[in-house]
């Protein structure tokens, strides 16, 4: 293992019920690198992401963060991880602004109202920021998720199908966010059917087969 | 208790109350259910004062159980389905504290209104003032236990098919002791005895639940997310 490996997976295997999803998955990421996980539906992309995030325990193998093995719900992982999963984790009853305010408060880095307004402006939602999320479209909800990534200031981004429901403009925004994140030395693990809109030099690909 | 835990309780409490106040309809349904069911019994039985005064405490307590059950399925399920729960579990804050805040919000929005309505509804059952006071006090001590025990069931049935009916089967037996001591306190006063032993036991149960339940719920939530 190289000294500057930030995130490393060794011999990961996952099982769902009686079905084995994948065995012997390994990767290692250095600061500023992204991993794109590809594979057909049902090949275990989301499960792999959830294992890396510390939500699910692997059937065997381990995930190491800065050289130390992690366990599910590891406090060290919870301090660094930002997960954008299948569901946008937004409360329909609250406005975009309130949702973001709640999330930044939860992670202990409460952002100023201005910062939230700027983040929403960056994803072109400033006109919708006082609307309850209930009335927003799928793509707009995804954009709020992007604004949350920008505000959260986490080192490890875990993105499950980040391009789903995004239009070209928003995909560009995701690319910009990822570029900034990786340039700052962050790492990212993403499951995606399409190539991520970032420079290929910093991307590794991991193909899961069914 | 650490500062972070207090912050976490406050965060979850404030957020859940805000969400609940934005969806007033759901709150109203639960309270209306309580009012209507309690009011049905005098219509279905005889209007004799003696009978109503005998039935009253049991009816109010049983209906409080059912009303609490009605709102339980919402407690974690909506957060589970929209992905909020996994974000909460992945946050740096202690999960037991976060779920404590959620349970406190659940009691404030569903248990407290039941307690407040009890003296008014009890008047339909020809209960006199000392009996009504004991009834209200027993509900004040008992309904938080219902929210806490119910939260364990709600967390355990997350993601289960037919979670709602399973939840009722799981939780109602756990509610039985609360019902026995709660309604027992009121009966004791009606027969001229002291309600203190029943109320003390309810209080002790509440303290025990307050200490143990958050950790059980946090563990159940983690299992549900796995």
């Amino acid at each position: 293992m190289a000294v500057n490996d930030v995130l490393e997976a060794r011999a990961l295997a996952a099982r769902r019920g009686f079905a084995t999803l994948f065995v012997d998955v390994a990767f290692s990421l250095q600061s500023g690198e992204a991993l794109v996980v590809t594979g057909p539906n049902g090949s275990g992309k989301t499960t792999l992401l959830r294992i890396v995030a510390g939500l699910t325990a692997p059937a065997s193998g381990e995930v190491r963060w800065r050289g130390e093995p992690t366990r599910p719900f590891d406090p060290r992982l919870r301090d660094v991880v930002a997960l954008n999963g299948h569901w946008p984790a937004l409360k329909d009853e609250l406005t975009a602004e309130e949702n973001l305010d709640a999330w930044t408060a939860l992670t202990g880095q409460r952002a100023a109202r201005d910062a939230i307004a700027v983040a929403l402006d960056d994803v072109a939602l400033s006109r919708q920021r006082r609307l309850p999320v209930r009335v927003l479209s799928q793509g707009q909800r995804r954009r709020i998720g992007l604004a949350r990534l920008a505000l959260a200031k986490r080192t490890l981004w875990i993105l499950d199908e980040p391009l789903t429901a995004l239009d070209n403009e928003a995909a560009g925004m995701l690319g910009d966010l990822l570029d900034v994140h990786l340039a700052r030395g962050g790492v990212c693990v993403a499951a995606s059917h399409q190539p991520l809109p970032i420079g290929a030099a910093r991307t590794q690909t991991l193909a899961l087969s069914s | 208790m650490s500062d972070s835990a207090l912050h976490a309780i406050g965060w979850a409490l404030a957020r859940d109350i805000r969400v609940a106040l934005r969806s007033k309809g759901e709150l109203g349904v639960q309270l209306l259910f309580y009012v209507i069911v309690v009011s049905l019994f005098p219509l279905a039985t005889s209007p004799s004062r003696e009978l109503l005064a005998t039935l009253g405490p049991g009816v109010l307590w049983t209906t409080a159980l059912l009303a609490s059950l009605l709102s339980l399925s919402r407690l974690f399920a909506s957060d589970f389905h929209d992905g909020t729960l996994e974000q909460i579990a992945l946050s740096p804050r202690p999960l037991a504290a976060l779920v404590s805040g959620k349970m406190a919000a659940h009691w404030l929005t569903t248990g407290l209104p039941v307690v407040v309505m009890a003296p008014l509804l009890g008047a339909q059952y020809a209960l006199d003032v000392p009996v009504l006071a004991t009834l209200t006090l027993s509900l004040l001590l008992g309904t938080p236990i219902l929210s806490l025990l119910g939260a364990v069931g709600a967390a355990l049935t997350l993601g289960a098919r037919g979670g709602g009916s399973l939840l009722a089967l799981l939780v109602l037996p756990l509610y039985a002791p609360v019902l026995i001591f709660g309604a027992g306190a009121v009966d004791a006063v009606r027969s001229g005895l002291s309600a203190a032993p029943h109320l003390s036991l309810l209080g002790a149960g509440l303290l025990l639940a307050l200490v143990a339940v958050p950790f059980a719920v946090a563990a159940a939530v983690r299992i549900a997310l796995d």
Side-chain angles (χ1 to χ4, degrees):
Chain A
M1 183 189 90
V3 188
N4 47 358
D5 276 353
V6 178
L7 179 70
E8 195 196 2
R10 290 183 182 175
L12 283 181
R15 212 169 287 138
R16 269 286 178 244
F18 294 109
T20 303
L21 288 175
F22 52 78
V23 288
D24 216 17
V25 165
F27 60 85
S28 75
L29 289 180
Q30 299 183 0
S31 223
E33 278 189 323
L35 175 75
V36 179
V37 184
T38 62
N41 300 134
S43 58
K45 298 188 294 294
T46 296
T47 306
L48 177 60
L49 260 48
R50 291 173 66 86
I51 290 174
V52 175
L55 278 171
T56 303
S60 65
E62 62 178 13
V63 176
R64 289 174 166 253
W65 177 252
R66 297 199 190 283
E68 301 277 323
T70 62
R71 51 191 170 79
F73 301 102
D74 199 309
R76 287 181 313 122
L77 270 182
R78 276 158 44 193
D79 279 335
V80 295
V81 75
L83 170 76
N84 267 21
H86 266 301
W87 301 285
L90 299 170
K91 280 283 142 206
D92 279 354
E93 293 86 352
L94 305 182
T95 66
E97 216 168 42
E98 287 166 338
N99 267 298
L100 286 177
D101 185 46
W103 284 122
T104 54
L106 179 69
T107 51
Q109 301 160 314
R110 186 167 211 143
R113 269 199 120 55
D114 305 350
I116 292 175
V118 170
L120 281 170
D121 197 35
D122 284 346
V123 294
L125 281 181
S126 47
R127 282 196 309 129
Q128 288 88 354
R129 68 178 206 268
R130 300 264 159 78
L131 291 179
V133 168
R134 182 168 14 95
V135 304
L136 300 185
S137 74
Q138 275 308 318
Q140 287 173 321
R141 287 163 190 242
R142 283 282 183 169
R143 286 178 181 223
I144 300 176
L146 295 184
R148 185 169 68 211
L149 281 179
L151 284 168
K153 304 208 170 37
R154 293 310 181 92
T155 325
L156 170 59
W157 286 9
I158 297 181
L159 314 174
D160 199 351
E161 301 291 353
L163 292 166
T164 306
L166 291 187
D167 56 19
N168 288 338
E169 186 195 15
M173 292 165 186
L174 172 65
D176 293 346
L177 280 173
L178 273 169
D179 282 334
V180 172
H181 174 65
L182 298 176
R184 276 202 199 120
V187 289
C188 171
V189 180
S192 182
H193 292 289
Q194 296 120 301
L196 288 187
I198 48 172
R202 287 165 300 181
T203 320
Q204 299 179 25
T205 307
L206 175 74
L208 296 176
S209 54
S210 54
Chain B
M1 201 183 291
S2 77
D3 219 27
S4 171
L6 283 177
H7 267 121
I9 295 176
W11 180 87
L13 181 65
R15 177 176 157 286
D16 273 27
I17 286 187
R18 181 179 264 182
V19 171
L21 292 180
R22 294 276 166 86
S23 46
K24 292 190 194 73
E26 288 182 51
L27 288 185
V29 165
Q30 191 246 357
L31 193 59
L32 256 154
F33 172 84
Y34 181 65
V35 172
I36 291 173
V37 173
V38 167
S39 312
L40 284 179
F41 278 83
L43 300 177
T45 56
S46 92
S48 114
R49 289 177 65 87
E50 188 53 35
L51 181 71
L52 285 180
T54 316
L55 276 180
V59 168
L60 276 145
W61 254 100
T62 311
T63 315
L65 290 191
L66 297 178
S68 161
L69 197 61
L70 201 62
S71 58
L72 268 182
S73 52
R74 272 206 326 269
L75 179 54
F76 295 113
S78 80
D79 278 357
F80 182 68
H81 290 301
D82 68 17
T84 305
L85 207 56
E86 58 187 25
Q87 297 289 346
I88 285 178
L90 279 184
S91 84
R93 312 253 187 207
L95 184 56
L98 288 165
V99 295
S100 301
K102 287 185 70 66
M103 292 184 283
H106 179 259
W107 180 73
L108 285 173
T109 52
T110 65
L112 192 58
V114 162
V115 177
V116 172
M117 289 300 286
L120 298 175
L121 294 173
Q124 293 185 61
Y125 287 87
L127 300 175
D128 46 21
V129 175
V131 177
L132 279 178
T134 313
L135 175 70
T136 313
L137 190 59
S138 70
L139 281 169
L140 189 63
L141 285 170
T143 47
I145 310 183
L146 301 182
S147 285
L148 286 160
L149 289 179
V152 178
L156 282 173
T157 51
L158 272 180
R161 258 173 298 165
S165 31
L166 186 61
L167 177 62
L169 289 181
L170 196 67
V171 164
L172 280 176
L174 294 176
Y175 278 179
V178 185
L179 176 74
I180 291 166
F181 291 118
V186 187
D187 260 352
V189 172
R190 285 192 58 237
S191 32
L193 301 168
S194 162
H198 295 93
L199 294 177
S200 310
L201 279 167
L202 272 184
L206 175 58
L207 289 178
L208 190 67
L210 275 175
V211 173
V213 160
F215 297 99
V217 170
V221 164
R222 287 188 173 143
I223 292 170
L225 288 173
D226 188 7

